[in-house]
Amino acid sequence: SNLFELFVAALCAQALRRALPRRSSAMSRPTGYNIRERMANRFEVDQRAALFGNRGARGRGGDDAHGAVSREMLERQNDSQIADLEGKVGQLIGLTNAMGKEIRSSNGILDGLGMDFDKTNSLLKGTMSQLKVMMNNKGNKHLCYMVAFVFVLFFLMYLLRKLHFFGGGGSRAPKLSLDSGHMVNITTE
């Protein structure tokens, strides 16, 4: 593929050499050319007209009217785009204000949660220090009392659940059933 690219480049260079006119010298200029005179007159020549032709030349009534219409159309387009941008900027301002308000309220909530967690942490540290003191106490009497209290508490809850007076005993939970007419029947068995 490199050989093919070189071949194409050589053909293009040869075609360009044939298309360009030959000069006797690379820096040759027409006779009577004075560089100082050209430099002195460079501001007298309309450079825009020389570059772009006479597209923007004044003096022709039709082109001037057409130019005014096109400028007016461009101004209207610019005004509509500016109005669109103003609307979008207004929306962005509203969004940023709403976001700022939400962020401030979230920061307030987070600060409150942080204080609550600090209070809880200090309470837990106090409870743990009291438990350590109790466990380091030589008499294990307090620990035995605590285990016995928890055991008695669970036993009382079990007994109260079984007594008929407190809703326990032989009663069962209600049973829901659907009959053929899509009616709900509630029965206790």
Side-chain angles (χ1 to χ4, degrees):
S1 75
N2 287 339
L3 185 62
F4 179 71
E5 290 173 3
L6 286 173
F7 178 71
V8 170
L11 285 177
C12 289
Q14 190 177 25
L16 280 174
R17 272 190 241 119
R18 286 183 191 155
L20 292 176
R22 295 191 182 248
R23 289 189 175 176
S24 61
S25 151
M27 298 297 288
S28 67
R29 293 198 169 81
T31 57
Y33 180 81
N34 187 352
I35 186 74
R36 290 194 177 135
E37 184 180 325
R38 182 160 171 95
M39 290 299 291
N41 294 332
R42 73 180 182 269
F43 297 112
E44 295 174 9
V45 176
D46 186 8
Q47 299 295 329
R48 181 181 171 96
L51 276 174
F52 299 113
N54 286 330
R55 285 193 299 184
R58 306 281 183 215
R60 289 183 277 169
D63 285 342
D64 194 26
H66 175 69
V69 169
S70 70
R71 282 191 297 275
E72 180 66 28
M73 186 174 64
L74 287 173
E75 284 295 322
R76 276 189 262 130
Q77 287 176 350
N78 285 342
D79 290 341
S80 69
Q81 289 176 351
I82 287 171
D84 288 344
L85 284 175
E86 286 175 349
K88 289 177 183 177
V89 167
Q91 288 177 345
L92 286 174
I93 288 172
L95 284 173
T96 54
N97 288 338
M99 286 172 59
K101 190 177 189 182
E102 186 67 30
I103 288 170
R104 282 189 291 276
S105 70
S106 296
N107 282 339
I109 291 170
L110 288 175
D111 290 341
L113 283 174
M115 286 189 280
D116 289 343
F117 281 129
D118 289 340
K119 289 177 186 175
T120 305
N121 190 17
S122 64
L123 285 174
L124 283 176
K125 282 183 182 178
T127 304
M128 289 301 292
S129 65
Q130 289 176 358
L131 282 175
K132 283 182 185 178
V133 167
M134 187 177 78
M135 293 302 285
N136 289 336
N137 217 352
K138 293 294 181 191
N140 289 332
K141 189 167 50 170
H142 297 292
L143 184 61
C144 290
Y145 287 146
M146 187 172 69
V147 169
F149 174 74
V150 168
F151 180 73
V152 168
L153 183 68
F154 279 116
F155 184 71
L156 284 175
M157 288 175 26
Y158 175 75
L159 286 179
L160 289 175
R161 174 84 173 117
K162 291 295 180 181
L163 290 177
H164 188 66
F165 179 72
F166 290 105
S171 67
R172 295 187 182 197
K175 184 177 180 183
L176 299 175
S177 63
L178 290 173
D179 62 1
S180 61
H182 301 294
M183 297 288 290
V184 177
N185 294 327
I186 301 174
T187 58
T188 56
E189 296 176 2

